[in-house]
Amino acid sequence: MIRYIRHAAAFCLLLLVALLANAARVQLFEADELNANPANRRTTIDRYDQPRGNILVGDEPVTGSKDTGEQLAYERTYRHGPLYAPVTGYASQTYGTTLLENAEDAILSGTDPILAPLPLWGDITRSRQPGGDVVTTVDEAMQRAAYEGLDGRRGAVAALDPSTGRVLALVSSPSYDPEVLSGTGSAVTDAWTRLNRSASRPMLNRAIRQTYPPGSAFKIVTAAAALDARVVTDPDAETDTPSPYVLPGTSTTLPNEARGCEKASLAEAIRVSCNTVMAHLGVEVGLDGMLEAVGRFGFNDDDLTIPSRVARSNFDTDMSDDQLALSSIGQFDTTATPLQMAMVAAAVANGGDLRRPHLVDRVTTGDGDTVRRPGSESYHQAMEPGTAQQLQRMMVDVVESGTGANAAIDGVTVGGKTGTAQHGVDNSGTPYAWFISWAQAPDSGRPAVAVAVVVEDASADRADISGGGNAAPIARAVMEAALEN
C-alpha cells in the first residue's frame, strides 16, 4: 500500500510541477502575446479604468476625464475642443488616438516606464502609474487669434518661436469637437460618419497633414538658394531676366501679375513678386543646387515630427528645366504644409538657423514632477547668416512698400511674403491665399514669432495681392498676440 501512495504522491508532484511550468510559460513568455490578442477584453478594460493624464496649454488643462460608470469607465473630455483639436487630436474608446493623444499615449495612459518610481517597476509588478501630463508650447492668445481670424474658412495657421522652434499656434479650420468621438455607442459612430462625410473635412489637420502649392511664398526659398549659390551677389542689381520669359525648352511664356519685372533685381522681384525673375534664378541655380537648398528648409523630409507626424513637403528630385522654373515659384509639383512655410519664415528671422519645431514643452508625472523636457535644438542651417540678413530686409520691404501692407504693425519690424497658389485645369480653381511673416519688437534682440497662413477658399482674383488681402490680416492678428506676451 505504501508503494502506491508513493507513486500517487510522485504523480501529484509531477502534475504540480507541470502546472507551475505552464503558469510560468503563460505569465512570463506569452503575456505580451495574450495582452495583444484582440479577443482579450481585459486589456481594454484596464486601459480605461483610471483617468487619463492631461494635455495643458500654459498652466491650464485643455483635456479631462469623466467616470461614466460603464465597463470602460473613463472617457476623454475636452475644453474648447474645436480650438485645440489640431493640437490634441482625439482619444476615442472606439476609434483610437491621433496627434498628441497618440504621440504621447504612453505618458497619458500611465504605461511609459519613465513614470515608474524604479527602473523595470512596471515589468516586474505588471502595474501602471497614474497618467502623466503633457505641457504644450502653445500660446492661448495666439491660438485663439488664429482660430478667430480664419473664422470657419477652410485654411490653417502655424506659428513658431524662431529662436527655439516652439510651436506657438497650430490651427486648422473648419474644426470639430473631439469629445463627440470619446466613448462608445451609436452617438459616437454617427458623429464619426458625419465628420468623415463632411465636404469641409473638419478632421483633416490642415496645419501639419495637408500640403498645398505654396505659390509665391516659396520665392523666399529660391531667393535664399540664389544668394547662397552666388547666382546673385547684389540683391539690388538688375538681373538678366527677359520679359516675356519663355520656359526653357518650350514655347510657353511665363506671365507676371506684377509690372516692371523685366531685368528686375532680386529685391524688387521679391517686393512685387515677379514670377519671371524667380523662375529664371531657380533655373540658374540648377536642380542640384535647389534640392540642396530646399532640403535645408525641411522639404522632402519624410521623418519630421513635432512629435505628431508632419506630412512631407515636396520638391521634385527629377525635373526638366521648364519644370524646375515653375517649381522655383511654388508651382508644378511643389507642395508644402503651413508648418513648413512657417519654418521658412522662422529661418529667415533667426539668421538662417532653423530650429527644430516642437509642440511639447515638458512631460510631467500626475503630481507635476518633470520627467522629460525636449528643449530646443538646431534642425538645419537653412542659409548663410548674410543671406538671412538680406532676406530680412527684402521681406520688410514687402510689408512696408509691397504686396504685404496689410500685415504692418505700428512700431514693429515686420517681414512678410504674399503668395497665391493657382490650381485646377487652366488655373480655374479658386486660388489658395498664402502669407508668411515674422515680427520683432523694437526693444527686443530677437524675433517674437514667425507665422504662416493659408486660406483655401479665398475669394480673390489670381493676382499675388490676394495673399496679402486674405491671409495677411490673420497673420497680423497672430503676431500682435505674440508681441503682447
Side-chain angles (χ1 to χ4, degrees):
M1 178 67 69
I2 293 176
R3 181 166 57 90
Y4 293 122
I5 292 174
R6 288 174 177 170
H7 289 168
F11 182 68
C12 289
L13 179 61
L14 180 64
L15 291 178
L16 178 60
V17 171
L19 180 63
L20 291 173
N22 187 62
R25 177 180 61 85
V26 171
Q27 295 182 23
L28 296 178
F29 301 107
E30 296 184 3
D32 292 340
E33 181 181 350
L34 292 171
N35 282 337
N37 192 318
N40 184 1
R41 180 83 171 158
R42 294 180 63 182
T43 303
T44 304
I45 294 172
D46 181 63
R47 177 179 173 83
Y48 298 107
D49 72 349
Q50 70 177 27
R52 192 167 170 83
N54 282 317
I55 298 172
L56 284 74
V57 172
D59 296 325
E60 296 297 323
V62 296
T63 60
S65 297
K66 66 178 180 181
D67 189 350
T68 64
E70 304 291 335
Q71 188 178 56
L72 304 182
Y74 284 93
E75 287 183 8
R76 196 55 144 168
T77 61
Y78 294 88
R79 293 177 61 246
H80 313 299
L83 175 64
Y84 292 110
V87 175
T88 63
Y90 59 76
S92 170
Q93 294 175 348
T94 305
Y95 298 108
T97 57
T98 59
L99 301 176
L100 266 188
E101 293 277 29
N102 175 263
E104 298 289 356
D105 181 68
I107 290 291
L108 296 166
S109 63
T111 60
D112 195 314
I114 200 173
L115 298 173
L118 296 171
L120 303 178
W121 180 262
D123 293 333
I124 296 171
T125 64
R126 295 286 176 185
S127 65
R128 62 188 176 120
Q129 302 303 307
D133 293 338
V134 176
V135 183
T136 71
T137 57
V138 172
D139 180 272
E140 190 272 339
M142 295 173 62
Q143 183 82 1
R144 194 170 293 279
Y147 183 78
E148 292 175 353
L150 283 168
D151 194 26
R153 291 176 291 176
R154 296 186 195 186
V157 177
L160 299 171
D161 180 339
S163 302
T164 64
R166 293 163 59 92
V167 178
L168 301 175
L170 204 66
V171 170
S172 178
S173 177
S175 190
Y176 72 104
D177 186 355
E179 190 166 331
V180 301
L181 303 176
S182 291
T184 59
S186 60
V188 171
T189 55
D190 289 347
W192 176 266
T193 300
R194 182 180 69 256
L195 289 169
N196 279 283
R197 288 181 176 175
S198 173
S200 63
R201 303 176 71 190
M203 287 200 297
L204 171 63
N205 190 332
R206 291 172 165 88
I208 62 172
R209 295 284 174 83
Q210 178 66 27
T211 60
Y212 302 89
S216 293
F218 185 81
K219 292 172 182 175
I220 296 300
V221 178
T222 302
L227 288 165
D228 276 355
R230 305 296 189 267
V231 169
V232 174
T233 55
D234 182 358
D236 298 310
E238 285 188 350
T239 62
D240 60 353
T241 308
S243 184
Y245 176 73
V246 179
L247 295 174
T250 76
S251 58
T252 303
T253 299
L254 182 65
N256 281 311
E257 298 290 349
R259 295 181 178 179
C261 289
E262 183 174 5
K263 296 185 178 181
S265 68
L266 174 59
E268 182 67 8
I270 293 295
R271 188 180 71 83
V272 301
S273 204
C274 295
N275 289 335
T276 53
V277 173
M278 303 311 301
H280 180 53
L281 290 177
V283 173
E284 288 194 319
V285 171
L287 180 58
D288 290 344
M290 285 298 296
L291 283 172
E292 184 179 349
V294 301
R296 292 195 297 264
F297 281 97
F299 283 81
N300 297 340
D301 185 346
D302 292 309
D303 300 318
L304 183 62
T305 61
I306 59 170
S308 306
R309 181 184 62 83
V310 180
R312 167 191 167 121
S313 296
N314 182 71
F315 191 88
D316 279 2
T317 58
D318 185 11
M319 289 184 282
S320 59
D321 280 350
D322 59 311
Q323 294 167 340
L324 176 59
L326 293 174
S327 295
S328 299
I329 58 172
Q331 297 182 21
F332 189 55
D333 288 336
T334 302
T335 58
T337 62
L339 178 66
Q340 172 63 78
M341 296 310 294
M343 291 166 66
V344 170
V348 174
N350 197 44
D353 179 15
L354 176 57
R355 311 303 291 179
R356 183 176 293 276
H358 60 280
L359 186 57
V360 175
D361 177 67
R362 64 188 184 278
V363 170
T364 73
T365 66
D367 294 331
D369 296 327
T370 297
V371 293
R372 172 159 54 88
R373 187 186 292 270
S376 174
E377 62 179 83
S378 181
Y379 176 62
H380 289 303
Q381 184 68 34
M383 70 198 86
E384 295 178 5
T387 295
Q389 291 178 357
Q390 291 172 315
L391 284 173
Q392 288 170 11
R393 175 176 63 84
M394 290 183 236
M395 292 181 74
V396 169
D397 286 345
V398 169
V399 174
E400 292 184 349
S401 60
T403 57
N406 284 335
I409 302 172
D410 288 344
V412 175
T413 302
V414 177
K417 182 69 187 81
T418 54
T420 302
Q422 301 169 351
H423 65 107
V425 178
D426 295 326
N427 292 331
S428 59
T430 303
Y432 300 137
W434 279 94
F435 193 74
I436 63 172
S437 60
W438 51 269
Q440 181 169 331
D443 56 348
S444 175
R446 64 179 190 175
V449 64
V451 184
V453 179
V454 63
V455 182
E456 289 186 33
D457 52 355
S459 55
D461 59 26
R462 290 172 180 80
D464 187 75
I465 192 66
S466 61
N470 290 278
I474 301 172
R476 182 184 64 227
V478 176
M479 291 186 291
E480 287 175 335
L483 292 163
E484 290 173 0
N485 287 343

